[in-house]
Amino acid sequence: MPAATQSPSLNRPTSGPTLFARYAYPPNRLGLCGPDDAPALRDGAIERADDELRHLATRFEGAFPYLELIARENGLADPLDRRVVEGYWLGNELTARVRTPALARSLHERFAGRMGRRSWEWLERSVGGGSRPIHAFHVMEIFPRAGLMRGGGDDLPLLATMDACRIRWGTLVSITGDELVVSAPHLELAAGKLRIGPPRLDTVTGWWDADGPLGGIQIGEPVSLHWGWACDRLRPPQLRRLTRWTESAIAIANQTI
């Protein structure tokens, strides 16, 4: 697979299934989550093959139930509505509307049997403290206690894995061949607590089209990152929401570390 993945224009409006695939493919290509058919997910994202992507999305046992929960709590019939998908990966008003009892029931059904009693009690307190079904919550709260990575992912260092798995933000610094150099903050542990540390330079790959990476992203623009992959350009409101929701998830996780 080439490092730069060509796709139709990324500047066209993106459907919910395609947006889901853009964020779900990076760990899937590494064999860490979702179905085994990573090429189909990649090709579906490139071709915007929504019917195929809908089928593949249901096989992400970590992510798809959150989409169903967000949609249900907001009276939406489609878990892959673009607003729902963005709410899960980045956070938005739909994420905020999910009621605590609904999240608690969903988590109990899915994870109570996978955790020890103490871990489950910690998780219950986190949910009561204001957790919402955003991907950052899953990374900070569920993964450390229930795992759910396959393909050897559970053997990776925990902090580095959490940092790679969360949806990060960065600023494009340069383009070198088919790779992007970004300045991005990283998750760190200080005095026993998680926090977002200072930025450092990372080299990543990502989605490309005829206009270049991410539809012609310019130096200095913000980008979202997942497992070493540039997923999308971030508009200022999206960047603010992602930053705010990530910091909230970290603050809640720190209450039970």
Side-chain angles (χ1 to χ4, degrees):
M1 184 189 72
T5 303
Q6 296 290 330
S7 70
S9 176
L10 293 162
N11 291 314
R12 285 168 30 203
T14 307
S15 68
T18 297
L19 186 66
F20 178 82
R22 286 186 186 172
Y23 282 91
Y25 173 68
N28 182 254
R29 86 192 196 281
L30 301 174
L32 297 176
C33 64
D36 292 328
D37 199 357
L41 187 67
R42 179 197 65 213
D43 294 346
I46 292 170
E47 299 165 6
R48 300 172 185 247
D50 282 7
D51 288 345
E52 175 67 12
L53 292 176
R54 284 182 178 278
H55 170 68
L56 292 170
T58 63
R59 296 165 63 190
F60 281 81
E61 67 172 37
F64 196 72
Y66 288 118
L67 301 180
E68 293 179 306
L69 174 62
I70 295 169
R72 186 167 58 248
E73 284 291 289
N74 284 275
L76 298 173
D78 183 9
L80 289 167
D81 183 298
R82 181 189 167 92
R83 295 166 294 174
V84 173
V85 174
E86 187 171 299
Y88 173 64
W89 293 118
L90 306 180
N92 61 18
E93 68 279 3
L94 271 65
T95 320
R97 291 178 191 147
V98 175
R99 296 167 296 171
T100 295
L103 176 59
R105 286 194 300 272
S106 175
L107 295 175
H108 187 274
E109 292 170 0
R110 298 172 62 195
F111 301 120
R114 300 185 184 215
M115 300 179 183
R117 179 178 176 180
R118 186 179 181 189
S119 291
W120 176 249
E121 289 174 349
W122 281 355
L123 182 60
E124 283 187 309
R125 288 198 294 272
S126 293
V127 173
S131 293
R132 291 294 183 270
I134 187 175
H135 183 66
F137 158 75
H138 186 84
V139 171
M140 305 296 168
E141 298 282 6
I142 301 297
F143 170 68
R145 297 184 172 103
L148 300 181
M149 280 194 178
R150 59 182 177 82
D154 292 337
D155 295 330
L156 298 173
L158 180 58
L159 186 64
T161 301
M162 292 168 66
D163 195 36
C165 189
R166 72 183 179 92
I167 306 302
R168 299 191 292 130
W169 57 91
T171 302
L172 180 64
V173 173
S174 65
I175 301 173
T176 304
D178 55 11
E179 295 180 320
L180 309 179
V181 178
V182 297
S183 176
H186 284 259
L187 190 67
E188 62 182 24
L189 197 63
K193 299 294 183 181
L194 296 168
R195 70 180 186 186
I196 299 295
R200 62 176 186 254
L201 294 181
D202 292 334
T203 300
V204 302
T205 186
W207 303 106
W208 287 57
D209 65 9
D211 296 318
L214 301 177
I217 189 172
Q218 300 298 306
I219 303 301
E221 285 193 283
V223 60
S224 56
L225 307 165
H226 196 199
W227 281 103
W229 190 273
C231 301
D232 207 1
R233 298 156 81 174
L234 290 173
R235 299 187 305 275
Q238 291 175 311
L239 176 59
R240 287 193 295 270
R241 289 197 298 269
L242 175 59
T243 303
R244 184 175 68 248
W245 279 99
T246 301
E247 289 174 345
S248 175
I250 290 173
I252 293 171
N254 279 335
Q255 296 175 12
T256 55
I257 284 181

